[in-house]
Amino acid sequence: MSENTQSPRKPRVAVVFGGRSSEHAISVVTAGAVLSAIDRDKYDVLPIGITTDGRWALTADAPERMAIADRALPNVADLAESAEGGVVLSVDPANREVVLTEPGNVPRALGEVDVVFPMLHGPYGEDGTLQGLLELSGVPYVGAGVLASAVGQDKEYMKRVFVSFGLPVGPYEVIRPREWDQNPAAARKKIVEFAAEHGWPLFVKPARGGSSMGITKVDDLSGLDEAIEEARRHDPKILVESLLRGREIECGVLEFEDGPRASVPAEIPPVTDHDFYDFEAKYIDSASGIVPAPIGDEATAEIQRLAVAAYEAVSCEGLVRADFFLTEDGDFVINEINTMPGFTPISMYPRMWQESGVSYPELVDRLIQAALTRSTGLR
């Protein structure tokens, strides 16, 4: 008589994307690429989109509808299976079941989730808020924890941590919300004094933004107020940075069994049709980088060392993309890190790892496996 055995259940991956930040569309594009790459023979997948107003929605598993088409950006509302109701994740660590609620219908259980792949960029997702929810729920997740996510999102505190660990950063100034709201003349004077010390042009950007949104290159005083208002449309706290003359070099860090390793670096060449590597250049006009960066073995080893050092300084987990300037003097200056870098087909992070011998599907799988082996809570 044969024994009746039941095959083990495949791990269930909830891919969460969209969100309330200005990077909503890029998050959708990124999630589409990841959904295409996840091995369906190895994992069950549950796509969950967060609309721009914060509603969690069950969405179609349709990566082909999640790309930028004819310069039009995708959004979760067009992918949601219902215009009402929402997906609910329990905050009880003993219950990982996801429930769908809809008006007039009995709540429907969607099954348990073993790991979350949070493909959110910017505030309300990449900044530690979603990570905190998942910690409360006891659900493992891909990428950095609460602290590292928050520090990695806030460019002011990111730079402060880098400085405390002896990593090289460029000159910057911060204008906090209260400073601009209560005394814009004094805040403006602070920036002008910064420019007098470090020179024009300046870059004015949201302190907690990403995807190059809200950034303006300011050549003189006449464009300052408009640049500040543009940055403040994305974040009431703004960051002002001096122009660093040099080459833009990026490097990926990925968690392996023996610890974090760095990829080959990439170079972002000057974009001729744009003032700098802005949102349009990155995602609409598909400006591409050079992988590997032609900087020589010694410089490659140094940027790899610095990228891993930045990963460790912020207590990152899973992955990081570290962005640097290679100055005319031959020194590296770290600009920022991204704890959840883009995974679009043209994104630099997967391209760097592809060149380093880790294919796109293997990269996605390695991140999921690392999350599954990591506990939530203090670690």
Side-chain angles (χ1 to χ4, degrees), residues 126 144 147-155 157-159 161-162 167 169 205 207 209-211 241 249-253 306-317 319-324 333-342 349:
E126 191 183 353
L147 175 66
S149 296
V151 172
Q153 187 66 43
D154 192 312
K155 295 178 177 63
Y157 288 99
M158 179 198 306
K159 291 177 187 291
V161 169
F162 289 158
L167 294 169
V169 303
K205 60 177 65 175
S211 295
E241 296 175 333
I249 312 293
E250 299 181 349
C251 189
V253 179
L306 289 170
V308 172
Y311 177 99
E312 298 282 28
V314 183
S315 298
C316 293
E317 293 169 295
L319 72 165
V320 143
R321 194 194 73 229
D323 301 345
F324 296 82
V333 175
I334 186 166
N335 183 38
E336 65 180 52
I337 60 170
N338 279 266
T339 56
M340 185 51 71
Y349 184 83

Side-chain angles (χ1 to χ4, degrees), residues 177-329:
R178 189 180 297 119
E179 290 182 82
W180 185 254
D181 292 338
Q182 294 185 354
N183 195 339
R188 192 182 299 108
K189 181 173 182 289
K190 185 176 171 181
I191 298 173
V192 171
E193 290 174 348
F194 177 83
E197 180 179 357
H198 300 287
W200 299 90
L202 303 175
F203 286 94
V204 178
K205 60 177 65 175
R208 294 161 291 195
S211 295
S212 296
M213 286 185 165
I215 301 178
T216 306
K217 183 181 177 184
V218 183
D219 294 313
D220 53 44
L221 187 60
S222 64
L224 184 58
D225 281 9
E226 185 178 352
I228 290 171
E229 291 304 324
E230 170 60 18
R232 281 171 54 85
R233 283 200 315 111
H234 300 267
D235 185 349
K237 182 167 79 165
I238 66 170
L239 193 76
V240 180
E241 296 175 333
S242 63
L243 173 68
L244 290 175
R245 302 189 184 279
R247 301 160 68 182
E248 291 188 52
I249 312 293
E250 299 181 349
C251 189
V253 179
L254 179 63
E255 182 179 333
F256 285 78
E257 290 76 11
D258 59 350
R261 301 181 199 169
S263 69
V264 300
E267 179 170 8
I268 307 300
V271 284
T272 55
D273 297 334
H274 300 265
D275 214 13
F276 60 97
Y277 193 45
D278 61 5
F279 177 86
E280 291 271 329
K282 278 183 179 179
Y283 298 107
I284 303 299
D285 295 333
S286 302
S288 59
I290 302 167
V291 189
I295 58 176
D297 293 344
E298 185 176 338
T300 293
E302 175 63 4
I303 195 174
Q304 289 174 327
R305 182 189 72 80
L306 289 170
V308 172
Y311 177 99
E312 298 282 28
V314 183
S315 298
C316 293
E317 293 169 295
L319 72 165
V320 143
R321 194 194 73 229
D323 301 345
F324 296 82
F325 290 103
L326 178 55
T327 70
E328 295 171 342
D329 296 330

